Amino acid sequence: MDTHLHSAPQLNLNHKPLANAALLSLIAILLIPSPLQAQTADIVATPLERFEVKPSALVRYTELDASVEASQAATVAAQTSGRIIRLYYDINDLVSQGAPLLEITSQAQGAELAGAEAELAKAIAINQEAQAQYQRVSTLFPQGAISKGAMDEARVKAKTSEQAISAAKANLIKAKQTLDYTVVSAPFSGRVSQRHVQQGETVSLGQALFSGYDPQSLRIVFHLPQRLYASLDPNTQGQFSTFVNQTQFTFAHATVMAFADPVSHSHQVRLSLTQHPELMATLIPGQWLKVRVNQQATTGLLIPKSALISQGEFTGVYLFNGATLQLTQVRVGKTYHGQLQVLSGLMSGDNIALDASLAQAYARDKNTADKRSPQPMEAN
């Protein structure tokens, strides 16, 4: 019986040059790593920095709503009547102390001033005649040429004429002041916040004209509940602070009203911004912000924000369990100096990945590598 040996088919590289070239190109492409594979390899090769969770001192605080107001603000009202003939400033303008804000017609006030000056001149003339008459009577009375009644009458006229001069001078001062009121001036340097009148409008005595405030006298005002007022320590400074543009400002001094509001039963607190001029330059009256009231210090666990990963409503960290990473759910609370307070999920001494995004990429790459690794074949 003949035995036929069948050899395996061999690739003939001598008769198909085009196919050989295509095959070599395919082998070269398969051997070159893709950019994604190279990036994954770099991530895996990068060592993960660890962060050890330790107890830290935490200052408990309560956030309250506060508003900014000016301690020096006023509304200028008309002190005389007339028609507005000129306006010098408008809303948002900066005004220097004593600068004219508006001008009112002054014909009536000028006439009143002229009348007051005439009354003063008349009173002076009458007084001069009365004083001269009194001097003559005083000379003749000792000689018996003048009766006592005439002497008393001359004395009364002299005295009355002197009082008439005083009254005329007072009326003159009043008339001059009324004339000055036709030009309304700024009581202090500041910014115009509201203009209540228009040019050409007739105003009466007491009517509001301009409102303004001093931008260098701002303060923060809020109301402190009685439960927090009872826990304040008057000997402790820096119990109040605020955050503006991610910068914390602590107030060493605060004015806390000792009496409570009868409606809200809270105590008003005023924080002067003169302690922080750079903060005063960024705030305006009426602006709202948050104020923190520090309370008793406690201890807790803090982790950096970079270690936290959020996926929908899930928040967690990558916990080192020996040589492996384990995604662990945690619950976080308030922020203290840029770090998050851990309420549950971690214990003191735990080590977590400092960079959650890098740890996530590392864990994803490791799982992919495990799936691609050949599995041991089961024995038949």
Side-chain angles (χ1 to χ4, degrees), residues 327-346:
L327 182 59
T328 304
Q329 184 178 7
V330 296
R331 188 164 62 94
V332 296
K334 296 181 179 180
T335 302
Y336 294 89
H337 305 290
Q339 292 186 318
L340 297 171
Q341 180 187 8
V342 178
L343 302 179
S344 63
L346 292 177

Side-chain angles (χ1 to χ4, degrees), residues 44-84:
V44 173
T46 303
L48 293 177
E49 188 174 355
R50 301 190 177 196
F51 178 83
E52 184 179 356
V53 181
K54 296 180 180 180
S56 303
L58 305 179
V59 178
R60 295 174 55 197
Y61 64 86
T62 301
E63 284 192 343
L64 301 174
D65 292 327
S67 61
V68 180
E69 68 176 26
S71 59
Q72 187 172 7
T75 297
V76 179
Q79 294 178 280
T80 185
S81 59
R83 182 173 54 85
I84 299 175

